[in-house]
Amino acid sequence: MQITLYGRDGECRAIRRLLDGPDGGALLLHGEPGSGRGAVLAYARRHAGERAVLAGAGLADEATLPYAGLQRLLDPLLDRAGSVPDPQRRVLRRALTGGGCPAGRRLALATAVLALLAAAARDRPLLCTMDDVDAGDPETAETLAVVARRLHRLPVALLLTAGCAATADGIPTHRLSPLDEQQCAALLADRRPAPPPAAVAADLAAVSCGNPQALVDLADALTPGQWHGEEPLPAAPPADGALGTAYRARLDRLPPDTRRVLLLAALDPDGDPATLARAARTAGLPVEALAPAEAAGLLRAGPAGVTFPSPLTRTMIEVVAPLADRRAAHLLLARTLDGRPLRRALHRAAATDGPDPALADELEAAAADGADRAGAAAALRRAAELSDDPARAADRAVAAARCAWTAGHPDQARRLLSGLPADPVATGRADLLRGEMQLRCDAPATAVATLLTAAGAVASADRGAALLGLARAGEAICLTGDHYRYAEVARRAWALRRPGDPPDVELLTTFAAGVGATLRGDHDQGGPALRRVVVLGGRLAGTALTPAALICGAVAGLLVAVDGAAHRLADRAVELARARGDLSVLPRALELRAVAEYWLGRHATAAETAREGLAIARATGQRTCARVHLGILAVLAAVRADRATSLARIAEIGDGATPGSRPYAYAQWALGVLDLVDGRHADAAARLASLARSGTARGQVLVQVMATPYLVEAAAHDGGRPTAALAVFDRWASSTASPSRRALSARCHALLAPRGSAEAEREFRTALRLHPTDTDRFERARTELLFGRELRRARRPRDARAYLHRARETFTLLGATVWAEQAGAELRAAGESVGSSPRPPAQLLTGQQLHIAQLVAEGATNREIACRMSLSTRTIDHHLRNIFHRLGVRSRTELARLFA
């Protein structure tokens, strides 16, 4: 029977190399219980080929019998002991018959083992496997480690497995890592005729922590309803599964006092050493009783507290403990905890059966602090279970799911919602949360209907929640590119307005109205509304100050091109989300901050922000948000003409981005820019024109507006005129007070004007006049490059050089090498002698020249520099002349600009 090993490709390749190689050697495979150590050894034995196989295992029951494991491993070969030289044979016989081995003769014993293996391998090569070598007697482990380092000249392969903390000098080691989500899904698909739904597979992967045996035990214990996602899933692997049995056997070998203190440590998620010490003293136990558990690799104790090798280890210690022991330990910890109401209530609840309304109220009150989102989720879940009122139970279950989501655990939130008691209002709130998770995680198209329905269900009871749901439905609409549907969002939000609304409610209704008007091209109505949202966002305080409201303000700021205000609001949303531990909104807030930084010309900072957003989105299961950040990173790399990075980011987006969605549009924008850089203008124009369908309100209109300057540049090269896209951009740019947007508009019209015409020159000069000097240096340099090219082609090379020089200097300083090379090529075409590969100033100057240049850029005079460097002013003058020549600048102002 062929058995597939998931997630073990690297280990299998290493084993095959060892077995197929001409020389001998050894491998040590280590991992936690259930990680598949035995399965990997079985794989090796199946692929042993012509090798004879010796198999042994370390047994805990024989751990006190020196060389017991070695004796069982070598027993089939002892009839060949006569071929071992006599002195070594005596040492071997003594060790294997219980006589032990003096410390001074241990090398001789290892040599005897090598001789015995060599004698056996004369007939055919050997494969020796020793499972759980660290569980048996330590003398066997030490001897096999010495042997393993000396096999390179023998046709003998030795495979050892050990616990997750095992290492051995000089022996190649492989750690059996947890399976990732895809590998878990593949393993689950093998357990039953039909694979489970993707959400169930993801939940089981999270519960099992990627442990293969835990995953198998869970899969085998599920009911058909659980397998198909129709019933709630278990929160831990079963106690009677293979993994539970293995852990119970390990725990049974520990002294009773050790097991009691170990359970206390496992039930205290904070790992606080003071709490553990107090609880142990209350129970009349010394903390030192943990020493055997630490020796067994079940935990690590230190001044900072107790840690476990993996979260699963803590879980399994709790799962296999007898119910009475668990309850006693929880009550003991509850009595020990002072000043920590949430933890105390959770421990009391864990030791309680049946409804307990008073304790449920205590749990809810303790969760209200909000500092520990994961703890609050657990408290509210237990409060729901202890409630005797179905409506209160439903409210608490939804609140628990909300806390789990904000803590970054969408799978846990889904599990909590799946067992929700029937209650109309609670169902509406649950659907708001479901829709938000669909938006951020995996199904933005489905989220639209979910959120619209849920907003209608809760509108009479909670207008604020309904408006926020509508705002997120609008976000899903924009994300999927179905902008025509935003009219319904705006209509519903407007219907919820009331006279004298508080600022946070006014912000949401005005936001929906402003976005709706902007998307239909009515900037006269949309612009003032969105600017009002920006103002309201800056005034929020108290309970009205939320990351979600600030995010709406940041979106409004970007739509009316007040980039600085948008950046401040997005940055404040990021800081507030971090302070509150709300991971659910962080990727979105970071996305908006990155877009604002793009418009401000801070491309490197924008990339850093997007990378942070990507990491958080991936860690919290927000796959849609992760693709958006990948798209932003692809565009930023393409704009810098970094083809390899851009294509790598696009490849990471993969097939998950549907055509018309924002991640897909970002990828197409990036590819269009790369086409433009490579001179494939027609391909670039076609790709960028396809981002949105003019007049249909479908496609990524907002992304196409951002990409329009590149679309015009690509189309203009071949005489094309993207009239519709440019008209949209012009109407938007003219409705804003942004000089940078108007500069880009003027540049687009310059590119479309007849070559060499007064109109082209006028529009280019307008663009350069409008470009801010303190921000967005990259776009200004792009305009200077394009204007310089226009002047050169109009046979005005002398006029072109100044613009091309400035463009080249800026691109060089920004590290945009390809654009700098294009500017250099234009300079050479204009008759200027320049190097083919410009370098940053730091590489063009000596150390002393660089120091002087930096002081000049800071505003120091020659006399001040001479005093600070203990040089004469004449020497400083001499150095400055050389600096100007090397950098190609003509004044201190240009030098300062280069180092700005």
Side-chain angles (χ1 to χ4, degrees):
M1 176 181 177
Q2 182 66 36
I3 299 176
T4 303
L5 289 179
Y6 295 100
R8 301 292 177 249
D9 293 347
E11 291 76 15
C12 291
R13 284 193 296 269
I15 289 170
R16 294 298 294 267
R17 283 196 300 269
L18 179 61
L19 295 176
D20 296 342
D23 300 324
L27 287 175
L28 172 61
L29 307 163
H30 66 90
E32 64 179 348
S35 58
R37 302 191 305 253
V40 174
L41 290 187
Y43 172 89
R45 290 191 287 268
R46 288 198 306 273
H47 291 83
E50 296 182 355
R51 290 177 182 267
V53 177
L54 295 178
L59 301 179
D61 290 342
E62 297 182 357
T64 58
L65 303 178
Y67 302 107
L70 189 65
Q71 187 274 331
R72 282 185 291 102
L73 178 68
L74 298 180
D75 184 67
L77 304 183
L78 292 181
D79 59 347
R80 297 173 180 265
S83 60
V84 179
D86 186 60
Q88 298 170 3
R89 186 171 63 251
R90 288 197 298 272
V91 174
L92 179 64
R93 181 176 292 114
R94 177 180 175 180
L96 299 186
T97 55
C101 180
R105 301 293 289 163
R106 289 177 182 170
L107 182 59
L109 174 61
T111 305
V113 174
L114 283 167
L116 183 59
L117 294 175
R122 290 194 191 103
D123 297 335
R124 52 194 291 208
L126 282 179
L127 167 63
C128 304
T129 65
M130 191 71 176
D131 198 7
D132 294 331
V133 67
D134 58 332
D137 62 278
E139 293 82 4
T140 291
E142 292 169 1
T143 303
L144 289 177
V146 175
V147 169
R149 300 184 191 103
R150 290 162 173 80
L151 290 173
H152 57 282
R153 294 188 178 182
L154 296 178
V156 177
L158 174 60
L159 295 180
L160 308 172
T161 72
C164 53
T167 58
D169 292 339
I171 303 176
T173 301
H174 287 256
R175 176 177 175 268
L176 300 179
S177 303
L179 306 185
D180 62 28
E181 193 171 302
Q182 289 183 338
Q183 293 161 349
C184 287
L187 176 57
L188 288 169
D190 274 353
R191 302 304 299 176
R192 298 194 184 184
V200 172
D203 288 351
L204 291 174
V207 172
S208 69
C209 299
N211 183 287
Q213 188 60 60
L215 200 62
V216 168
D217 291 348
L218 281 163
D220 293 347
L222 294 185
T223 66
Q226 289 174 320
W227 183 262
H228 295 296
E230 299 161 357
E231 299 171 9
L233 294 172
D240 57 353
L243 187 63
T245 301
Y247 268 98
R248 188 178 293 106
R250 294 181 74 187
L251 295 173
D252 287 346
R253 291 193 288 270
L254 298 175
D257 286 354
T258 299
R259 292 200 297 271
R260 292 181 64 192
V261 182
L262 179 62
L263 181 57
L264 288 171
L267 293 178
D268 179 21
D270 296 330
D272 178 32
T275 299
L276 180 61
R278 286 196 303 271
R281 281 198 305 270
T282 302
L285 301 169
V287 176
E288 291 74 17
L290 280 176
E294 189 170 10
L298 287 166
L299 54 72
R300 290 184 292 275
V306 171
T307 58
F308 291 85
S310 76
L312 186 63
T313 302
R314 181 194 295 273
T315 299
M316 295 309 299
I317 291 170
E318 178 182 357
V319 164
V320 303
L323 177 60
D325 291 355
R326 287 204 305 271
R327 288 183 172 177
H330 277 299
L331 290 173
L332 186 59
L333 286 166
R335 291 197 300 272
T336 303
L337 290 166
D338 295 325
R340 296 167 66 186
L342 178 60
R343 288 297 175 200
R344 185 174 63 248
L346 280 168
H347 283 301
R348 287 184 56 212
T352 301
D353 279 334
D356 189 333
L359 183 53
D361 291 343
E362 182 183 342
L363 286 163
E364 187 174 29
D369 175 39
D372 177 5
R373 298 268 179 167
L380 289 166
R381 175 188 60 79
R382 193 71 182 108
E385 294 168 349
L386 295 174
S387 300
D388 58 356
D389 179 359
R392 294 290 301 278
D395 283 342
R396 285 163 172 167
V398 174
R402 169 67 64 183
C403 285
W405 165 236
T406 57
H409 305 299
D411 296 331
Q412 182 185 351
R414 292 189 189 98
R415 286 197 297 272
L416 289 165
L417 293 177
S418 66
L420 191 67
D423 180 81
V425 176
T427 299
R429 295 184 184 278
D431 285 342
L432 284 176
L433 179 54
R434 286 192 184 96
E436 184 180 346
M437 291 191 291
Q438 289 167 350
L439 163 64
R440 306 268 189 247
C441 296
D442 46 24
T446 305
V448 177
T450 304
L451 289 165
L452 289 175
T453 302
V458 304
S460 59
D462 190 341
R463 278 196 305 137
L467 285 167
L468 189 55
L470 290 173
R472 287 179 173 141
E475 181 185 339
I477 286 169
C478 292
L479 187 65
T480 56
D482 295 328
H483 295 92
Y484 68 94
R485 300 182 66 182
Y486 205 98
E488 181 181 359
V489 171
R491 178 181 56 78
R492 290 193 183 195
W494 196 252
L496 292 174
R497 290 175 70 248
R498 300 289 183 274
D501 274 338
D504 54 332
V505 175
E506 182 189 354
L507 182 148
L508 291 172
T509 56
T510 309
F511 174 77
V515 174
T518 299
L519 289 176
R520 66 175 183 266
D522 186 356
H523 299 293
D524 291 338
Q525 181 179 342
L530 293 172
R531 279 187 278 274
R532 173 64 178 164
V533 172
V534 174
V535 172
L536 289 170
R539 294 176 180 174
L540 293 173
T543 57
L545 180 61
T546 64
L550 291 169
I551 283 171
C552 290
V555 172
L558 290 170
L559 289 176
V560 293
V562 284
D563 304 321
H567 186 268
R568 286 190 295 273
L569 289 167
D571 192 52
R572 196 176 181 196
V574 169
E575 292 176 356
L576 190 61
R578 283 180 177 145
R580 297 182 179 182
D582 190 350
L583 299 179
S584 65
V585 297
L586 256 182
R588 174 62 170 161
L590 288 165
E591 173 199 342
L592 297 171
R593 193 175 80 178
V595 174
E597 286 161 348
Y598 167 83
W599 280 117
L600 290 167
R602 306 172 191 169
H603 292 180
T605 307
E608 184 178 340
T609 297
R611 283 192 291 270
E612 182 183 357
L614 173 62
I616 295 171
R618 283 174 165 168
T620 57
Q622 298 187 46
R623 288 179 284 274
T624 302
C625 289
R627 294 187 192 107
V628 171
H629 281 286
L630 286 168
I632 292 172
L633 289 167
V635 169
L636 289 168
V639 166
R640 293 172 62 86
D642 183 352
R643 167 175 289 277
T645 301
S646 185
L647 292 178
R649 293 302 189 182
I650 292 169
E652 288 183 76
I653 294 173
D655 298 331
T658 57
S661 67
R662 186 177 301 152
Y664 183 86
Y666 275 140
Q668 293 300 304
W669 180 10
L671 291 170
V673 174
L674 293 177
D675 286 338
L676 179 64
V677 170
D678 292 342
R680 296 190 296 272
H681 299 89
D683 293 342
R687 199 185 294 276
L688 296 172
S690 70
L691 297 180
R693 283 165 280 175
S694 178
T696 66
R698 294 178 184 269
Q700 288 298 318
V701 177
L702 300 178
V703 176
Q704 189 177 66
V705 166
M706 296 176 71
T708 294
Y710 292 94
L711 168 60
V712 171
E713 183 179 344
H717 184 273
D718 294 329
R721 299 186 67 86
T723 307
L726 182 55
V728 171
F729 185 86
D730 283 343
R731 285 197 300 272
W732 173 63
S734 63
S735 73
T736 73
S738 169
S740 65
R741 305 304 194 279
R742 297 186 179 194
L744 292 174
S745 176
R747 187 175 85 192
C748 289
H749 285 279
L751 290 168
L752 294 175
R755 180 169 297 172
S757 67
E759 178 189 354
E761 182 171 353
R762 183 179 66 253
E763 294 288 359
F764 270 124
R765 292 192 184 279
T766 299
L768 290 173
R769 176 174 52 79
L770 289 170
H771 273 303
T773 57
D774 55 339
T775 61
D776 204 7
R777 289 180 295 163
F778 179 83
E779 288 299 343
R780 183 181 184 85
R782 292 267 295 125
T783 300
E784 287 171 334
L785 170 59
L786 293 169
F787 189 24
R789 179 183 297 167
E790 164 70 15
L791 291 171
R792 180 190 64 77
R793 291 176 177 176
R795 299 183 180 181
R796 296 168 59 186
R798 180 176 298 178
D799 295 334
R801 290 169 194 159
Y803 297 104
L804 295 172
H805 268 298
R806 283 197 292 271
R808 184 170 180 267
E809 290 165 5
T810 302
F811 289 139
T812 300
L813 189 63
L814 295 175
T817 306
V818 173
W819 295 113
E821 289 174 350
Q822 286 196 13
E826 288 293 331
L827 276 169
R828 285 190 293 275
E832 188 85 0
S833 177
V834 295
S836 59
S837 180
R839 293 179 293 163
Q843 297 180 18
L844 296 171
L845 304 178
T846 66
Q848 191 173 54
Q849 288 173 341
L850 181 61
H851 190 192
I852 292 170
Q854 288 169 336
L855 292 174
V856 170
E858 292 169 7
T861 65
N862 285 9
R863 186 176 297 278
E864 290 169 340
I865 297 170
C867 290
R868 290 176 64 173
M869 299 186 66
S870 300
L871 297 172
S872 69
T873 54
R874 182 176 296 178
T875 301
I876 299 300
D877 288 338
H878 172 74
H879 280 307
L880 267 180
R881 285 194 295 273
N882 289 334
I883 290 168
F884 283 13
H885 176 72
R886 289 193 176 197
L887 296 183
V889 298
R890 295 180 291 277
S891 68
R892 299 171 82 93
T893 302
E894 289 186 14
L895 180 62
R897 187 187 304 127
L898 194 61
F899 278 82

